[in-house]
Amino acid sequence: MDVEDLMLLFLSAWVLISALATSSVGVFLTLTLIGLLITVEVGSLFLSREQKEGLKPLIELLIVVFAIIVMAKVYSILSGGR
């Protein structure tokens, strides 16, 4: 197994454990973003430029979703709801 296979295995296990451990889609997507960012940062020396560019849209999408989740929580708190 090379490093790229181990990174994919780690990320797959992370997503599976996150899916089983959470009941909220927002928490799941946040944990998926964290796992993806950890994988890319730790394995950046072993990924080619093309592979990094391939992961970039997914990371950007998850960051946008995370920002929407945070804005919804802040709005909820400021409006007096839960």
Side-chain angles (χ1 to χ4, degrees):
M1 267 190 163
D2 58 350
V3 176
E4 294 167 349
D5 293 337
L6 291 174
M7 290 171 46
L8 182 61
L9 182 65
F10 168 77
L11 189 58
S12 299
W14 180 275
V15 170
L16 180 67
I17 291 169
S18 298
L20 295 174
T22 62
S23 59
S24 168
V25 175
V27 174
F28 169 71
L29 291 175
T30 303
L31 289 174
T32 302
L33 174 63
I34 291 169
L36 187 59
L37 289 173
I38 289 170
T39 304
V40 169
E41 275 302 310
V42 170
S44 64
L45 296 175
F46 304 103
L47 293 174
S48 68
R49 183 170 177 83
E50 292 82 25
Q51 289 170 326
K52 290 178 191 174
E53 290 297 319
L55 289 173
K56 199 172 184 179
L58 180 60
I59 292 171
E60 291 171 352
L61 175 68
L62 287 173
I63 288 174
V64 168
V65 170
F66 177 73
I68 291 170
I69 292 168
V70 169
M71 287 188 295
K73 291 291 184 182
V74 168
Y75 178 76
S76 168
I77 291 169
L78 292 177
S79 66
R82 293 209 288 152

